[in-house]
Amino acid sequence: MDNCGYLSRTKGVGSGLKTGYQRLKFQHWDSHGVKVVVSNHSCVTEAGTKALLDDAAKLAPIGGLFNLAMVLRDGLLENQTVEMFRDVADPKVKGTINLDNLTRDLCAESLDWFVVFSSVSCGRGNLGQANYGFANSVMERICEKRRADNLHGLAIQWGAIGDVGVIAESMGGNDVVVGGSLPQRMMSCLNVLDQFLNLPYPVVSSFVPAQMERKKEDGGKKQNLVAAVSKILGVKDASTVDGEVSLAELGLDSLMGVEIKQLLERDYDLCLSTKEIRLLTMNKLHDINEAEGNDNMDSEANKEVSPSKSQSPLTPMALQRFDCQNVLPKETLVHLNGVENSLKPLFVVHPVEGNIETLRSLASCLPCPVYGIQLTAEAPLTSLQALAGFYLQNINKVDPTGPYRLAGYSLGSVIALEMACQLQKYYPDCSDVNIVQSLTLLDGSHRYLDMYTNAYKKALKPNSLAEEQAGFMVGFLKQFINVEDELSLLQSILHHLHKNRKISLI
């Protein structure tokens, strides 16, 4: 029996013969007795899939099935649409589901290989490809189910593919680094595929890490980390940058963050989260670079790009040496601005990152002592109440009598509110002196607040600014505590406002 091949053009994916080289290969196969047919049936529909399988079965028993379909509609999740998800998912998801269901009945005995091409972006993630990762993940789950049913099923998570395909056509070369990997040459792909077909696993992966090629070319030398990150951020001269300014403050966006994350993992075997990368400073990068011994490789280059740790009198207190084994802050309370006077201190609760580095600039502008509250290893994470109580014990060491001035930034606004509630609960008799002198919520999910404050403004129709503020606070508090008597709470807040109690939402 002659060797036969059947190619399907799945909705928007295949387009038959596009180049002279492809026609040449078809002629070459034909001269060796291999019959190849290009079909217009789409596997997105069950009818199209059945027609494809029926036509293929007329040529010869179906021995192998390979779903190589790919459509890309990249975009951040908030920019994705139903249509973008559908365009990407249909060839992979519907196509694989239809092929799985129909081959179980039509050619289960003859089918030796059921193979789908997935991507490392599914197993490891890739910015802007949530739809593509989802579609590949569905195919992988189908292969796992087939294996469980004693049928062949293999999903291959390929990295970038060289020589042909999307990378070769759009990025133009086998040397481009894509997601920390180099394009895998076609001969290597075919050799690996031959091995994968004989493995018992439903999901496998193949890609070429970029550092392997780099180490061959430069003998394992790593580029200066400060210089590399500066280039990503678009900073021409790192020596002009304050060494304690975080990458977030230097304009780091999500795409830059992914590139820096890949750089750290590829060249320094350092795996950091997105929030940890945002908090890196030039001084920390310099410390990492020194720890790897890179200063000895090119001392003159390092002198040019390494920032001075004492270049500006405005540079805040130096951070501890960067240590990947100790990413949590060591101190719960940090005196942010060094001010010592008779004014009551302000205690500011950290944002979601757990540290208060981003608040140093704000603290330097305030005339009172400012203490930042950080999330340390000993902080209890069992509940919001336990965490707030732990922080109150720590601020009591600095100011044991009160009244207290509290603030919270972002997530810290919720914790600061709970701390204020606990203080009022534990000091119910402080009628002459408010135990909570002020509570300031900085950027406390402003869009979330706007939704509720606008609804309350329409419903309450306040007669004064005080009534409006009280209504806003009631709406906000109801998201966190059970309010049985809303009117009494509203009157209580109004009473405190008339006594010049400071409650501010920024």
Side-chain angles (χ1 to χ4, degrees), residues 167-452:
I167 300 298
E169 294 172 1
S170 62
M171 304 183 75
N174 293 313
D175 298 326
V176 61
V177 177
V178 182
S181 67
L182 288 170
Q184 185 173 357
R185 304 299 295 268
M186 186 51 58
M187 186 58 69
S188 172
C189 292
L190 294 175
N191 290 335
V192 170
L193 175 62
D194 187 53
Q195 299 176 47
F196 284 163
L197 290 175
N198 295 287
L199 294 178
Y201 310 114
V203 182
V204 294
S205 181
S206 177
F207 62 97
V208 180
Q211 72 266 25
M212 290 178 62
E213 187 67 21
R214 178 190 56 76
K215 289 178 180 178
K216 292 178 182 178
E217 294 175 354
D218 59 17
K221 292 183 180 180
K222 301 174 182 177
Q223 58 184 318
N224 181 279
L225 183 58
V226 178
V229 173
S230 297
K231 183 178 180 181
I232 293 172
L233 295 174
V235 177
K236 293 183 179 179
D237 186 0
S239 64
T240 63
V241 177
D242 186 341
E244 294 300 332
V245 173
S246 69
L247 300 189
E249 294 173 295
L250 290 174
L252 178 76
D253 60 27
S254 56
L255 290 174
M256 294 175 183
V258 171
E259 194 169 351
I260 293 174
K261 180 178 176 66
Q262 293 173 350
L263 170 67
L264 292 171
E265 291 179 358
R266 183 183 70 233
D267 289 359
Y268 291 85
D269 295 325
L270 204 57
C271 185
L272 300 181
S273 66
T274 301
K275 68 178 183 180
E276 289 167 348
I277 291 174
R278 289 177 61 82
L279 293 173
L280 286 175
T281 65
M282 287 297 183
N283 282 347
K284 287 182 179 179
L285 294 173
H286 182 61
D287 289 340
I288 298 172
N289 200 69
E290 284 185 329
E292 292 290 334
N294 289 342
D295 281 355
N296 295 328
M297 298 177 196
D298 194 349
S299 57
E300 292 302 321
N302 285 336
K303 287 178 183 178
E304 293 179 3
V305 299
S306 299
S308 171
K309 298 186 179 183
S310 59
Q311 59 188 314
S312 171
L314 299 178
T315 300
M317 177 177 19
L319 298 176
Q320 63 183 6
R321 184 178 178 86
F322 186 79
D323 183 0
C324 295
Q325 302 301 320
N326 185 23
V327 294
L328 287 176
K330 291 184 178 179
E331 298 177 90
T332 301
L333 278 183
V334 178
H335 197 172
L336 289 179
N337 59 356
V339 174
E340 297 285 355
N341 55 33
S342 59
L343 295 177
K344 277 292 182 181
L346 173 66
F347 297 95
V348 188
V349 184
H350 61 81
V352 68
E353 288 87 353
N355 65 64
I356 40 71
E357 292 307 315
T358 55
L359 297 170
R360 288 188 181 275
S361 298
L362 173 63
S364 66
C365 300
L366 300 179
C368 64
V370 180
Y371 289 86
I373 303 176
Q374 303 191 116
L375 182 68
T376 54
E378 60 268 20
L381 298 177
T382 54
S383 68
L384 176 64
Q385 292 76 14
L387 185 60
F390 174 77
Y391 289 160
L392 287 174
Q393 294 175 9
N394 279 271
I395 69 174
N396 187 62
K397 299 174 184 178
V398 175
D399 186 358
T401 59
Y404 297 99
R405 304 166 72 181
L406 303 176
Y409 174 48
S410 190
L411 174 67
S413 63
V414 180
I415 304 173
L417 175 60
E418 174 61 26
M419 292 169 65
C421 292
Q422 290 190 20
L423 283 170
Q424 291 178 323
K425 179 180 179 181
Y426 296 142
Y427 297 92
D429 299 328
C430 295
S431 55
D432 296 331
V433 179
N434 295 315
I435 190 63
V436 180
Q437 192 178 84
S438 67
L439 172 62
T440 305
L441 308 182
L442 301 167
D443 189 30
S445 302
H446 54 280
R447 291 184 180 178
Y448 184 73
L449 287 176
D450 282 345
M451 180 176 65
Y452 284 96

Side-chain angles (χ1 to χ4, degrees), residues 72-210:
L72 295 179
R73 298 286 186 269
D74 293 353
L76 296 179
L77 195 57
E78 58 264 29
N79 299 325
Q80 288 283 351
T81 64
V82 174
E83 290 73 21
M84 292 170 69
F85 256 83
R86 183 180 292 118
D87 289 345
V88 173
D90 278 358
K92 287 180 173 288
V93 175
K94 290 185 178 180
T96 305
I97 290 175
N98 290 331
L99 289 169
D100 173 43
N101 291 336
L102 293 176
T103 54
R104 289 172 182 256
D105 295 328
L106 298 179
C107 54
E109 295 183 359
S110 64
L111 191 67
D112 295 322
W113 295 311
F114 186 100
V115 182
V116 298
F117 279 14
S118 180
S119 168
V120 291
S121 65
C122 174
R124 295 162 180 81
N126 195 25
L127 188 70
Q129 292 191 329
N131 49 5
Y132 186 56
F134 164 78
N136 285 315
S137 181
V138 173
M139 293 199 303
E140 292 175 7
R141 305 294 80 76
I142 293 173
C143 289
E144 290 174 350
K145 181 63 168 59
R146 287 183 62 87
R147 288 285 186 174
D149 295 339
N150 293 319
L151 298 171
H152 187 267
L154 176 66
I156 304 176
Q157 293 182 349
W158 293 107
I161 301 296
D163 299 323
V164 297
V166 174
I167 300 298
E169 294 172 1
S170 62
M171 304 183 75
N174 293 313
D175 298 326
V176 61
V177 177
V178 182
S181 67
L182 288 170
Q184 185 173 357
R185 304 299 295 268
M186 186 51 58
M187 186 58 69
S188 172
C189 292
L190 294 175
N191 290 335
V192 170
L193 175 62
D194 187 53
Q195 299 176 47
F196 284 163
L197 290 175
N198 295 287
L199 294 178
Y201 310 114
V203 182
V204 294
S205 181
S206 177
F207 62 97
V208 180

Side-chain angles (χ1 to χ4, degrees), residues 429-500:
D429 299 328
C430 295
S431 55
D432 296 331
V433 179
N434 295 315
I435 190 63
V436 180
Q437 192 178 84
S438 67
L439 172 62
T440 305
L441 308 182
L442 301 167
D443 189 30
S445 302
H446 54 280
R447 291 184 180 178
Y448 184 73
L449 287 176
D450 282 345
M451 180 176 65
Y452 284 96
T453 54
N454 289 334
Y456 269 79
K457 186 183 293 186
K458 292 180 181 179
L460 292 174
K461 297 179 180 179
N463 297 315
S464 66
L465 178 61
E467 288 186 5
E468 182 177 304
Q469 290 178 340
F472 292 168
M473 287 301 299
V474 170
F476 181 62
L477 291 170
K478 285 176 66 177
Q479 309 309 309
F480 306 100
I481 62 176
N482 183 24
V483 179
E484 297 180 356
D485 191 341
E486 190 171 328
L487 181 59
S488 296
L489 177 60
L490 185 65
Q491 292 173 343
S492 176
I493 294 176
L494 280 170
H495 172 72
H496 286 296
L497 286 173
H498 287 313
K499 289 179 64 178
N500 295 321

